[in-house]
Amino acid sequence: MEVVFATFGSGLSHDEIERTMRRRAETFREVEGLVQKYFVHDEDNDQYGAFFIFDSPDSRDAYFESDLSAGVGEAYTIEGGADVTTAHLMY
């Protein structure tokens, strides 16, 4: 299994971010190989993002090459790019 943690700053208000996350959540249920996704908010640094669990490196890579992934920046009005960390889930 593969995990990804991504965070970003946004030009949207907290309420707009939450509405966008809820609206997009259903779409993620259809991502092949995505075991789980959690939407996150770092209140201390006002950063938003997601924690993903994929069943394989291929599934992870396919998601990040998808139109759904490519649309994140526009959907959330990301400011300054995203910080992304990937890792292999050992156990």
Side-chain angles (χ1 to χ4, degrees):
M1 298 241 237
E2 304 299 310
V3 297
V4 178
F5 186 65
T7 58
F8 56 85
S10 174
L12 301 178
S13 71
H14 179 82
D15 289 341
E16 291 171 314
I17 290 279
E18 190 168 345
R19 279 193 298 276
T20 301
M21 288 177 170
R22 289 183 187 283
R23 186 179 67 244
R24 292 172 56 91
E26 187 64 32
T27 307
F28 284 94
R29 290 184 175 90
E30 301 172 11
V31 173
E32 189 171 335
L34 179 61
V35 176
Q36 186 68 50
K37 178 181 180 185
Y38 299 96
F39 292 98
V40 299
H41 179 215
D42 173 353
E43 294 176 356
D44 292 340
N45 296 300
D46 198 29
Q47 295 281 301
Y48 294 87
F51 180 79
F52 303 82
I53 302 172
F54 291 94
D55 65 1
S56 70
D58 290 340
S59 295
R60 177 202 59 215
D61 295 346
Y63 166 71
F64 280 100
E65 294 169 4
S66 73
D67 291 340
L68 182 60
S69 177
V72 169
E74 183 177 340
Y76 292 101
T77 314
I78 290 179
E79 297 178 339
D83 292 322
V84 179
T85 302
T86 61
H88 177 73
L89 183 61
M90 295 177 61
Y91 61 93

